[in-house]
Structure formats: structure tokens, C-alpha cells
Amino acid sequence: MAENYADYAKRINLAEFIDHALLSPTATPEQVAQCCEEADLFGFAAVCVYPAYVRQAVELLHGKRPQVCTVIGFPTGATTSAVKLYEAQEAADNGATELDVVINLGWLKSGKIEEVHRELAEICEATDQTVKAILEMSLLSESEKKIAAEICLDAGVQFLKTSTGWYGGATVEDVRLLKAVSNDRVGIKAAGGIRTVEQAIALILAGATRLGTSRGPDLVHQRDTLEEAKL
């Protein structure tokens, strides 16, 4: 593991994995503008903002590398399917190309598998955009994690995402589980509590293909500092 980590720390382009998130309830248009500026400057994969700021982010990032991502049913996943579908369609109409959708955990835990599947499948079909299903792994048992992942895969999502960051963060173990269940059929987004470059690279080594974090610039600076220390 140490050898793999050292190799990744030396050659990986960490910025390409990062979804630069601004999901504070008090986020302002000025902060959204800064978030987009940072995403463009560092070459992040995407910015992730609330639906209310999608149009602003799309305008600021037009013709630039970062995609515009937003959250649907955030953070509980407990709004109705009709509301989630409308929210997702509106976000797509406003220019969002990636939708991070919180699954209905209450349905999952009560065995309403068809309802969870239908909700996600409708969003995937109606928007035709990249859908990342947020499983909130810290609230699920081991068997529930596997069931949730299989439902999401069958519904047609493009990513499995570990968490919102509101109820616990990403773990290496959960990323490995999602990688094993998905068998590389979809991407894996680790999100929540990623504060150090060591955490980030450990998650990537475990199978994460995206990292959701509000600390993107700091992580890149940490990585650059590691590089400089080795010179």
C-alpha cells in the first residue's frame, strides 16, 4: 500500500478527480462565483452547487472544462418522487449535466425496492444526464449497502456515491464495497470528510473515480507540497 500511495502521490492529477462542492445552506452567489473560478483555475472535474445556482454556474463555466453538478432530494432523499423528478428536469433544463440524487432511505429500509428503483430510473430516463445515486452508506447495514447499489445499477445510474457528507463521510471500506458490487460498470464518487491528500489518494486507490469535497484547492496544494518535499 505504501508503495502504491507513493507512486500515486507522485504522478496522479488529483484535480481531475474532484467535484468542487459548495453545499453550505448559506452559500451566496458571490461564493458560487468563487467556487466556479477555482474549479476553472485548478481544472476540477465539476462544481457541485444547489439547484438555485445551476444557471449561474453554467453561465460562468460555459466553454470551460468543469461540468456543472447539482443535488436532487438533498440531503434526506425523502421528498416525493414527483418533486425529485421535477427538480432533476429543471436542473437539466438549466444546464446541469450531472445530478447527484439522494435515494429514499426509508423506502430502502422498509423493503420498497421497486419504488426506489422506479424513482431513479425515471430521473435517468427523463433527464438523459449523468446521475450519481447517493446511498448515505453510514446509515445502512452491510446488506442494505449491497442491495442499494444493485438497485441503483439496475436503474441506470452512472455513478454510485457514498454519502451527502451530512451524516458521515467516505471510507475506504465503503468505496471498496461499491467497486466490488459494481464490477467497474459505473463510476464511484467518494464524498464527505475528505480533508487530506492522504485520504483522497487512499480513496482513489480503493476505487473512487470522483471525490466530492469543498476542500479541492487545499487538497491540490497539499499534493503539490508533497511533491516539493520529495525534490
Side-chain angles (χ1 to χ4, degrees):
M1 177 68 178
E3 183 178 354
N4 285 340
Y5 174 83
D7 182 54
Y8 265 71
K10 182 166 67 172
R11 63 184 174 83
I12 197 171
N13 185 348
L14 186 60
E16 293 182 349
F17 287 82
I18 292 174
D19 283 7
H20 192 28
L22 178 60
L23 296 172
S24 165
T26 59
T28 64
E30 292 75 21
Q31 290 172 323
V32 171
Q34 181 182 347
C35 180
C36 292
E37 182 179 350
E38 290 170 344
D40 181 39
L41 176 66
F42 286 93
F44 293 146
V47 297
C48 187
V49 296
Y50 280 115
Y53 293 121
V54 164
R55 188 167 290 176
Q56 178 190 0
V58 168
E59 292 174 355
L60 290 171
L61 292 172
H62 178 71
K64 300 179 179 178
R65 182 183 188 278
Q67 299 296 302
V68 175
C69 172
T70 194
V71 286
I72 306 298
F74 191 86
T76 67
T79 49
T80 67
S81 294
V83 168
K84 281 187 184 176
L85 181 59
Y86 179 86
E87 188 175 32
Q89 289 176 311
E90 183 182 43
D93 288 345
N94 285 337
T97 57
E98 301 188 358
L99 308 171
D100 288 16
V101 182
V102 188
I103 69 169
N104 190 312
L105 298 168
W107 281 354
L108 178 72
K109 286 181 172 290
S110 61
K112 294 185 176 182
I113 306 304
E114 290 185 7
E115 287 86 342
V116 177
H117 180 279
R118 185 184 307 113
E119 183 174 89
L120 279 172
E122 286 179 350
I123 290 172
C124 290
E125 183 177 355
T127 63
D128 197 29
Q129 300 297 338
T130 296
V131 173
K132 308 189 197 99
I134 306 178
L135 308 186
E136 208 67 271
M137 302 282 272
S138 65
L139 300 182
L140 303 179
S141 68
E142 199 75 2
S143 62
E144 287 170 341
K145 292 174 184 179
K146 294 176 182 177
I147 292 169
E150 291 288 2
I151 294 168
C152 296
L153 291 169
D154 193 55
V157 305
Q158 286 77 41
F159 279 82
L160 298 173
K161 181 176 172 181
T162 60
S163 48
T164 60
W166 286 49
Y167 304 100
T171 68
V172 165
E173 293 74 22
D174 281 339
V175 170
R176 285 178 180 156
L177 184 151
L178 294 179
K179 180 175 174 61
V181 173
S182 66
N183 195 26
D184 294 325
R185 286 176 284 169
V186 297
I188 307 230
K189 180 174 174 179
I194 306 172
R195 296 181 174 86
T196 69
V197 69
E198 289 83 3
Q199 282 178 293
I201 293 176
L203 290 164
I204 293 169
L205 285 170
T209 56
R210 288 283 187 92
L211 304 174
T213 176
S214 61
R215 299 171 182 261
D218 186 43
L219 292 175
V220 173
H221 288 313
Q222 288 182 42
R223 190 262 183 191
D224 291 345
T225 300
L226 280 177
E227 279 295 285
E228 291 169 4
K230 293 174 185 176
L231 298 176

